[in-house]
């Protein structure tokens, strides 16, 4: 069974590589069209993102971890919610890593519990 799946994967990989290496079409040069000069309008500056306090970010991550675990448990009922949360995991972890140095020992323990929950879900609930 493993051999068969490896052979199928290898064949699919070879076919996709062959398709990517095919001859590329050459495009005909586009006609040059003269146009009026365009004025560049300066956009108003956007205000910088509001920095959140580390404890707020920690609470948001804990809520995310809980929601992620619940979505995993209900993935058969609402797979889109789980997929959407799964796409956010790396960004959420990166945000938490940035504030990790500002947390006290109690908050670090809470953070580790939430990270363990996310890791457990990523491993398939094992």
């Amino acid at each position: 069974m493993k051999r068969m799946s490896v052979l199928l994967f290898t064949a699919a990989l070879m076919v996709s590589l062959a398709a990517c290496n095919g001859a590329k079409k050459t495009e005909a040069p586009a006609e040059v069209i003269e146009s009026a000069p365009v004025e560049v309008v300066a956009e108003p500056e956007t205000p910088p993102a509001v920095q959140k306090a580390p404890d707020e970010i920690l609470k948001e991550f804990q809520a995310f971890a809980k929601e992620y675990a619940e979505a995993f448990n209900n993935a058969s009922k609402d797979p889109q919610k789980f997929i959407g949360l799964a796409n956010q995991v790396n960004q959420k972890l990166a945000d938490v890593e940035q504030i990790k140095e500002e947390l006290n020992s109690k908050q670090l323990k809470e953070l580790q519990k939430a990270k363990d929950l996310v890791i457990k879900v990523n491993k398939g609930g094992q």
Side-chain angles (χ1 to χ4, degrees):
M1 187 66 180
K2 288 183 182 178
R3 272 190 185 168
M4 185 61 137
S5 62
V6 169
L7 289 174
L8 287 173
F9 177 72
T10 304
L13 183 63
M14 292 173 69
V15 168
S16 66
L17 287 175
C20 290
N21 290 334
K24 295 183 179 181
K25 296 180 182 178
T26 57
E27 296 182 15
E31 295 180 24
V32 178
I33 300 174
E34 292 184 31
S35 62
V38 179
E39 290 184 33
V40 178
V41 178
E43 295 182 22
E45 292 184 24
T46 57
V50 177
Q51 295 293 330
K52 296 180 183 178
D55 58 333
E56 289 178 24
I57 295 173
L58 176 62
K59 287 179 183 177
E60 287 177 3
F61 183 72
Q62 288 173 320
F64 171 79
K66 184 177 180 182
E67 184 179 7
Y68 186 48
E70 289 173 3
F72 174 74
N73 291 333
N74 298 324
S76 61
K77 295 178 185 174
D78 190 6
Q80 294 301 322
K81 181 177 180 181
F82 176 70
I83 292 170
L85 292 173
N87 290 334
Q88 298 175 13
V89 169
N90 290 334
Q91 180 61 42
K92 296 286 185 178
L93 287 171
D95 292 345
V96 171
E97 286 298 318
Q98 290 177 353
I99 61 143
K100 193 174 182 179
E101 297 171 356
E102 300 173 25
L103 301 176
N104 61 33
S105 61
K106 181 181 176 186
Q107 290 172 327
L108 286 172
K109 288 179 185 178
E110 292 173 359
L111 172 63
Q112 190 59 44
K113 286 180 186 178
K115 285 175 75 173
D116 289 343
L117 183 59
V118 169
I119 290 169
K120 183 178 179 181
V121 171
N122 286 342
K123 288 184 177 180
Q126 298 176 357

